[in-house]
Amino acid sequence: METKQCTACGQEKPQSAFTKRAGKSGRRGTCRSCMRRRKRETTAVDSLFHADSGSAAEASASGSGLTVAVAVAVGQASTAETRAAVAVTNTETASAASAASETSPPSRTRKRKRKRRRGRYNKAARLRKQQDTDQPAEVSEAQTPVRPPDRVIKQIQGSFTFATSVLNDRGRGHIRLRGYRETGKRWSTVIPTEMAVRMVEEGAAGIINSGMIHKLYTKSDFRLLILQRDDYICRYCGKFGDTIDHVMPKSKGGLSSPANCVCACSECNLKKADKLDFVNNDDF
């Protein structure tokens, strides 16, 4: 078996204990075990240099000459001497770092940023705001609500017809419905032919052609149209109302049309829910 002497430890070792040179057939002069040991010792010295970049680095500045000498000795001195020098350096650096940490002022801890809670979701903030006002919340709720001024509601402009005999789905079973949002953006969808006929008959849409109808009001304009038509009076109790109720509930096939919607107060609207024969029996 061919052997080779290691340049680091001076021992005769087989050539398989040495790494190959890149692009050459020869072997390196340092064995694998010595190379690994040298790498560990170099890493330990480097970690001591970069342990503390602040006050610990200033405290250990006086011993930097000894540390550099140890770093040079790692590559040239014997293994026993290198280990002893590294141990001495570790002890001195650790003592210097501990002394620097005792003399240095304590670092400030970063406060945790509190998440801001919006006022409309903070019930306590709303209660405090009501208490700070001149009139308490009970008095303000007991006051009669003021009816907002009327606004002229105009239909969507277009050449519409309202004769349902014009509609023809050509066997498809659906008619295309079109409309406008409050932002002016156009939308469209398909609805069953029976629903399209009912929307035209109940005054919610107009016919563009045999296969398409168009809603006459936007969502916000339709709400104001019903409230102004009923003079903001609840149909069930006669009090002030500012909500819209579907006489035929939407869950049972009712449509959002002028013929199927009436003005209602919030209490009656909640009591009626999806009932068909709702009667308010409270004494007012």
Side-chain angles (χ1 to χ4, degrees), residues 226 229-230 235-236 243-247 258-264:
I226 302 300
R229 182 197 66 185
D230 295 347
R235 176 178 177 180
Y236 305 105
T243 63
I244 293 177
D245 177 66
H246 293 74
V247 180
N260 189 49
C261 293
V262 295
C263 176

Side-chain angles (χ1 to χ4, degrees), residues 141-284:
E141 291 177 359
Q143 292 179 353
T144 304
V146 180
R147 172 182 170 176
D150 289 349
R151 183 165 65 88
V152 179
I153 305 299
K154 296 182 180 180
Q155 292 185 2
I156 303 278
Q157 299 297 323
S159 55
F160 303 128
T161 59
F162 300 94
T164 56
S165 59
V166 178
L167 293 176
N168 184 10
D169 58 4
R170 294 180 175 84
R172 292 172 295 187
H174 61 263
I175 299 292
R176 179 162 292 277
L177 172 63
R178 204 163 66 170
Y180 287 101
R181 304 185 189 278
E182 285 77 3
T183 58
K185 188 176 181 180
R186 176 175 290 180
W187 59 268
S188 65
T189 185
V190 292
I191 59 174
T193 306
E194 297 178 358
M195 185 181 293
V197 172
R198 288 172 53 199
M199 289 186 67
V200 175
E201 292 176 348
E202 296 180 10
I207 302 174
I208 298 178
N209 53 50
S210 60
M212 182 180 297
I213 63 175
H214 201 292
K215 289 197 73 172
L216 300 178
Y217 307 97
T218 61
K219 192 174 182 179
S220 58
D221 287 351
F222 177 76
R223 178 178 178 275
L224 285 177
L225 176 70
I226 302 300
L227 296 177
Q228 294 178 11
R229 182 197 66 185
D230 295 347
D231 203 17
Y232 288 85
I233 297 175
C234 178
R235 176 178 177 180
Y236 305 105
C237 65
K239 289 185 176 182
F240 177 83
D242 56 355
T243 63
I244 293 177
D245 177 66
H246 293 74
V247 180
M248 173 66 70
K250 296 181 69 175
S251 61
K252 293 179 172 58
L255 301 177
S256 297
S257 62
N260 189 49
C261 293
V262 295
C263 176
C265 63
S266 57
E267 295 181 0
C268 293
N269 205 341
L270 291 174
K271 290 179 181 178
K272 179 181 179 296
D274 60 347
K275 302 181 183 66
L276 294 175
D277 52 351
F278 171 74
V279 177
N280 193 347
N281 296 324
D282 295 340
D283 295 329
F284 296 101

Side-chain angles (χ1 to χ4, degrees), residues 45 49 60-73 85 88-89 92-93:
V45 174
F49 279 127
S60 60
S62 59
S64 60
L66 178 59
T67 308
V68 173
V70 173
V72 175
V88 172
T89 308
E92 293 179 356
T93 308

